PDB file of all heavy atoms in Angstrom:
ATOM      1  N   VAL O 385      10.438-145.530-174.495  1.00 75.00           N
ATOM      2  CA  VAL O 385       9.260-144.855-175.015  1.00 75.00           C
ATOM      3  C   VAL O 385       8.080-145.236-174.137  1.00 75.00           C
ATOM      4  O   VAL O 385       7.708-146.397-174.045  1.00 75.00           O
ATOM      5  CB  VAL O 385       8.990-145.276-176.467  1.00 75.00           C
ATOM      6  CG1 VAL O 385       7.762-144.564-176.994  1.00 75.00           C
ATOM      7  CG2 VAL O 385      10.201-144.969-177.320  1.00 75.00           C
ATOM      8  N   LYS O 387       4.462-145.704-173.416  1.00 74.00           N
ATOM      9  CA  LYS O 387       3.255-145.858-174.202  1.00 74.00           C
ATOM     10  C   LYS O 387       2.103-146.003-173.232  1.00 74.00           C
ATOM     11  O   LYS O 387       2.113-146.882-172.376  1.00 74.00           O
ATOM     12  CB  LYS O 387       3.386-147.124-175.050  1.00 74.00           C
ATOM     13  CG  LYS O 387       2.942-146.952-176.480  1.00 74.00           C
ATOM     14  CD  LYS O 387       3.377-148.136-177.299  1.00 74.00           C
ATOM     15  CE  LYS O 387       2.190-148.842-177.925  1.00 74.00           C
ATOM     16  NZ  LYS O 387       2.579-150.081-178.566  1.00 74.00           N
ATOM     17  N   GLN O 389      -1.415-147.066-171.974  1.00 79.00           N
ATOM     18  CA  GLN O 389      -2.462-148.042-172.241  1.00 79.00           C
ATOM     19  C   GLN O 389      -3.721-147.450-171.613  1.00 79.00           C
ATOM     20  O   GLN O 389      -3.890-147.483-170.396  1.00 79.00           O
ATOM     21  CB  GLN O 389      -2.077-149.373-171.575  1.00 79.00           C
ATOM     22  CG  GLN O 389      -3.148-150.421-171.569  1.00 79.00           C
ATOM     23  CD  GLN O 389      -3.278-151.058-172.929  1.00 79.00           C
ATOM     24  OE1 GLN O 389      -2.304-151.533-173.494  1.00 79.00           O
ATOM     25  NE2 GLN O 389      -4.495-151.074-173.447  1.00 79.00           N
ATOM     26  N   TYR O 401     -22.071-139.727-170.603  1.00 85.00           N
ATOM     27  CA  TYR O 401     -23.066-139.256-171.568  1.00 85.00           C
ATOM     28  C   TYR O 401     -24.276-138.687-170.841  1.00 85.00           C
ATOM     29  O   TYR O 401     -24.838-137.660-171.262  1.00 85.00           O
ATOM     30  CB  TYR O 401     -23.489-140.374-172.524  1.00 85.00           C
ATOM     31  CG  TYR O 401     -24.255-139.816-173.692  1.00 85.00           C
ATOM     32  CD1 TYR O 401     -23.621-138.973-174.595  1.00 85.00           C
ATOM     33  CD2 TYR O 401     -25.620-140.080-173.851  1.00 85.00           C
ATOM     34  CE1 TYR O 401     -24.320-138.401-175.642  1.00 85.00           C
ATOM     35  CE2 TYR O 401     -26.325-139.519-174.903  1.00 85.00           C
ATOM     36  CZ  TYR O 401     -25.666-138.678-175.796  1.00 85.00           C
ATOM     37  OH  TYR O 401     -26.370-138.110-176.828  1.00 85.00           O
ATOM     38  N   ARG O 418     -45.623-129.689-159.474  1.00 68.00           N
ATOM     39  CA  ARG O 418     -45.286-128.852-158.360  1.00 68.00           C
ATOM     40  C   ARG O 418     -46.263-127.681-158.243  1.00 68.00           C
ATOM     41  O   ARG O 418     -46.371-126.869-159.148  1.00 68.00           O
ATOM     42  CB  ARG O 418     -43.861-128.325-158.532  1.00 68.00           C
ATOM     43  CG  ARG O 418     -43.403-127.687-157.267  1.00 68.00           C
ATOM     44  CD  ARG O 418     -41.940-127.538-157.234  1.00 68.00           C
ATOM     45  NE  ARG O 418     -41.652-126.639-156.137  1.00 68.00           N
ATOM     46  CZ  ARG O 418     -40.624-125.840-156.103  1.00 68.00           C
ATOM     47  NH1 ARG O 418     -39.767-125.828-157.105  1.00 68.00           N
ATOM     48  NH2 ARG O 418     -40.453-125.057-155.077  1.00 68.00           N
ATOM     49  N   ARG O 457     -44.859-125.411-148.341  1.00 87.00           N
ATOM     50  CA  ARG O 457     -43.565-124.721-148.297  1.00 87.00           C
ATOM     51  C   ARG O 457     -43.629-123.446-149.120  1.00 87.00           C
ATOM     52  O   ARG O 457     -43.161-122.385-148.697  1.00 87.00           O
ATOM     53  CB  ARG O 457     -42.436-125.613-148.836  1.00 87.00           C
ATOM     54  CG  ARG O 457     -41.964-126.647-147.831  1.00 87.00           C
ATOM     55  CD  ARG O 457     -41.150-127.725-148.554  1.00 87.00           C
ATOM     56  NE  ARG O 457     -40.001-127.155-149.268  1.00 87.00           N
ATOM     57  CZ  ARG O 457     -38.813-126.954-148.727  1.00 87.00           C
ATOM     58  NH1 ARG O 457     -38.608-127.276-147.471  1.00 87.00           N
ATOM     59  NH2 ARG O 457     -37.835-126.452-149.428  1.00 87.00           N
TER      60      ARG O 457
ATOM     61  N   ARG F 306      12.895-148.926-176.197  1.00 77.00           N
ATOM     62  CA  ARG F 306      12.129-149.928-175.470  1.00 77.00           C
ATOM     63  C   ARG F 306      10.811-149.280-175.111  1.00 77.00           C
ATOM     64  O   ARG F 306      10.771-148.146-174.662  1.00 77.00           O
ATOM     65  CB  ARG F 306      12.893-150.301-174.199  1.00 77.00           C
ATOM     66  CG  ARG F 306      12.238-151.257-173.295  1.00 77.00           C
ATOM     67  CD  ARG F 306      13.293-151.814-172.360  1.00 77.00           C
ATOM     68  NE  ARG F 306      13.848-150.772-171.503  1.00 77.00           N
ATOM     69  CZ  ARG F 306      13.524-150.628-170.211  1.00 77.00           C
ATOM     70  NH1 ARG F 306      12.675-151.439-169.655  1.00 77.00           N
ATOM     71  NH2 ARG F 306      14.067-149.690-169.479  1.00 77.00           N
ATOM     72  N   ARG F 308       7.496-148.950-172.912  1.00 75.00           N
ATOM     73  CA  ARG F 308       6.982-149.290-171.588  1.00 75.00           C
ATOM     74  C   ARG F 308       5.518-148.876-171.538  1.00 75.00           C
ATOM     75  O   ARG F 308       5.178-147.737-171.804  1.00 75.00           O
ATOM     76  CB  ARG F 308       7.779-148.562-170.508  1.00 75.00           C
ATOM     77  CG  ARG F 308       7.272-148.875-169.119  1.00 75.00           C
ATOM     78  CD  ARG F 308       8.009-148.083-168.094  1.00 75.00           C
ATOM     79  NE  ARG F 308       9.389-148.549-167.946  1.00 75.00           N
ATOM     80  CZ  ARG F 308      10.315-147.861-167.300  1.00 75.00           C
ATOM     81  NH1 ARG F 308      10.017-146.704-166.797  1.00 75.00           N
ATOM     82  NH2 ARG F 308      11.523-148.347-167.174  1.00 75.00           N
ATOM     83  N   GLU F 310       2.005-148.063-169.798  1.00 78.00           N
ATOM     84  CA  GLU F 310       1.470-147.594-168.526  1.00 78.00           C
ATOM     85  C   GLU F 310      -0.035-147.522-168.649  1.00 78.00           C
ATOM     86  O   GLU F 310      -0.553-146.945-169.599  1.00 78.00           O
ATOM     87  CB  GLU F 310       1.983-146.177-168.234  1.00 78.00           C
ATOM     88  CG  GLU F 310       3.430-146.134-167.843  1.00 78.00           C
ATOM     89  CD  GLU F 310       3.930-144.705-167.732  1.00 78.00           C
ATOM     90  OE1 GLU F 310       3.248-143.792-168.213  1.00 78.00           O
ATOM     91  OE2 GLU F 310       5.006-144.536-167.153  1.00 78.00           O
ATOM     92  N   HIS F 328     -23.210-140.050-181.219  1.00 89.00           N
ATOM     93  CA  HIS F 328     -23.603-139.159-182.310  1.00 89.00           C
ATOM     94  C   HIS F 328     -22.826-139.358-183.598  1.00 89.00           C
ATOM     95  O   HIS F 328     -22.989-138.577-184.517  1.00 89.00           O
ATOM     96  CB  HIS F 328     -23.442-137.691-181.864  1.00 89.00           C
ATOM     97  CG  HIS F 328     -24.333-137.314-180.726  1.00 89.00           C
ATOM     98  ND1 HIS F 328     -25.572-136.747-180.896  1.00 89.00           N
ATOM     99  CD2 HIS F 328     -24.182-137.467-179.384  1.00 89.00           C
ATOM    100  CE1 HIS F 328     -26.144-136.542-179.708  1.00 89.00           C
ATOM    101  NE2 HIS F 328     -25.306-136.976-178.775  1.00 89.00           N
ATOM    102  N   GLU F 411     -33.371-131.175-155.616  1.00 44.00           N
ATOM    103  CA  GLU F 411     -34.639-130.660-155.108  1.00 44.00           C
ATOM    104  C   GLU F 411     -35.530-131.821-154.681  1.00 44.00           C
ATOM    105  O   GLU F 411     -36.175-131.787-153.646  1.00 44.00           O
ATOM    106  CB  GLU F 411     -35.319-129.838-156.193  1.00 44.00           C
ATOM    107  CG  GLU F 411     -36.370-128.895-155.674  1.00 44.00           C
ATOM    108  CD  GLU F 411     -36.681-127.849-156.729  1.00 44.00           C
ATOM    109  OE1 GLU F 411     -35.760-127.080-157.059  1.00 44.00           O
ATOM    110  OE2 GLU F 411     -37.791-127.840-157.232  1.00 44.00           O
ATOM    111  N   ASP F 418     -38.302-133.395-146.342  1.00 47.00           N
ATOM    112  CA  ASP F 418     -39.368-132.705-145.629  1.00 47.00           C
ATOM    113  C   ASP F 418     -40.498-133.675-145.314  1.00 47.00           C
ATOM    114  O   ASP F 418     -41.021-133.703-144.202  1.00 47.00           O
ATOM    115  CB  ASP F 418     -39.914-131.553-146.479  1.00 47.00           C
ATOM    116  CG  ASP F 418     -39.019-130.331-146.351  1.00 47.00           C
ATOM    117  OD1 ASP F 418     -38.062-130.417-145.561  1.00 47.00           O
ATOM    118  OD2 ASP F 418     -39.279-129.331-147.028  1.00 47.00           O
TER     119      ASP F 418
END
Side-chain angles (χ1 to χ4, degrees):
Chain O
V385 180
K387 224 168 121 188
Q389 171 77 53
Y401 193 65
R418 191 163 167 210
R457 281 164 58 88
Chain F
R306 177 163 64 104
R308 179 184 289 167
E310 287 173 345
H328 297 267
E411 199 163 297
D418 278 357

